[in-house]
């Protein structure tokens, strides 16, 4: 985690400094690049500070040790159903909604309704049938 902290802090300082220099070269008349670079630097610093605070709270991570194995950082990522069809329904509903944004706004509500049905099905697929807990 230490290398990530250093990376984000250095990027934040670099982009903030680059934004100020860019502002001076454009005499602060170009109002897209200057604020964008400052915001990019600020967001990088925010991530760096978050990682630093998390590192202080959690302590030494396996990725900080040169002698750690890959399995030392292995964690439980949750339970996923390999037989579930609901993720495909969610992707189809998102495709319909984004198609509606591109082609006509009247299609978006159909995608939203399909997405709501797919999300409810995905959330409650283990509450009934053969796989109920």
């Amino acid at each position: 985690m230490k290398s990530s902290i250093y990376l984000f802090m250095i990027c934040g300082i670099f982009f903030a400094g680059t934004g100020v220099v860019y502002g001076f070269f454009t005499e602060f008349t170009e109002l897209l690049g200057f604020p964008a670079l400052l915001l990019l630097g600020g967001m990088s610093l925010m991530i760096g500070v978050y990682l630093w605070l998390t590192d202080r709270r959690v302590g030494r991570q396996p990725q900080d040790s040169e002698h750690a194995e890959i399995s030392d950082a292995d964690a439980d990522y949750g339970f996923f159903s390999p037989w579930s069809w609901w993720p495909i329904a969610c992707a189809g509903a998102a495709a319909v909604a984004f198609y509606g944004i591109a082609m006509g706004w009247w299609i978006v509500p159909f995608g939203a309704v399909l997405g709501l049905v797919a999300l409810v099905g995905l959330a409650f697929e283990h509450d009934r049938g053969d796989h109920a807990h």
Side-chain angles (χ1 to χ4, degrees), residues 96-119:
V96 170
F98 284 118
Y99 177 78
I101 291 172
M103 299 306 283
W105 286 98
W106 63 272
I107 302 173
V108 174
F110 294 108
V113 169
L114 289 173
L116 185 63
V117 170
L119 284 175

Side-chain angles (χ1 to χ4, degrees), residues 62-79:
Q63 58 264 31
D64 292 331
S65 174
E66 293 182 15
H67 304 292
E69 296 290 328
I70 293 175
S71 61
D72 292 340
D74 188 22
D76 183 23
Y77 290 112
F79 176 75

Side-chain angles (χ1 to χ4, degrees), residues 2 8-9 12 17 25 27 37 61 67 75 80-81 94 99 103 132:
K2 300 270 187 223
F8 279 107
M9 291 295 209
F25 276 120
E27 297 175 354
L37 285 169
Q61 296 291 313
H67 304 292
F80 301 100
S81 303
Y99 177 78
M103 299 306 283

Side-chain angles (χ1 to χ4, degrees), residues 2-132:
K2 300 270 187 223
S3 59
S4 299
I5 295 169
Y6 294 140
L7 177 73
F8 279 107
M9 291 295 209
I10 290 170
C11 283
I13 293 167
F14 172 76
F15 286 123
T18 304
V20 170
V21 170
Y22 183 81
F24 278 118
F25 276 120
T26 60
E27 297 175 354
F28 299 100
T29 57
E30 199 272 315
L31 295 177
L32 181 64
F34 170 66
L37 285 169
L38 286 181
L39 288 173
L40 182 61
M43 286 187 253
S44 295
L45 285 173
M46 284 173 36
I47 294 172
V49 168
Y50 169 75
L51 290 174
W52 176 65
L53 291 173
T54 303
D55 184 52
R56 274 189 9 187
R57 187 188 70 219
V58 173
R60 188 155 177 88
Q61 296 291 313
Q63 58 264 31
D64 292 331
S65 174
E66 293 182 15
H67 304 292
E69 296 290 328
I70 293 175
S71 61
D72 292 340
D74 188 22
D76 183 23
Y77 290 112
F79 176 75
F80 301 100
S81 303
W83 41 262
S84 178
W85 289 89
W86 287 111
I88 298 172
C90 288
V96 170
F98 284 118
Y99 177 78
I101 291 172
M103 299 306 283
W105 286 98
W106 63 272
I107 302 173
V108 174
F110 294 108
V113 169
L114 289 173
L116 185 63
V117 170
L119 284 175
V120 168
L122 182 65
F124 292 110
E125 70 182 332
H126 294 290
D127 286 346
R128 51 188 307 221
D130 295 334
H131 306 288

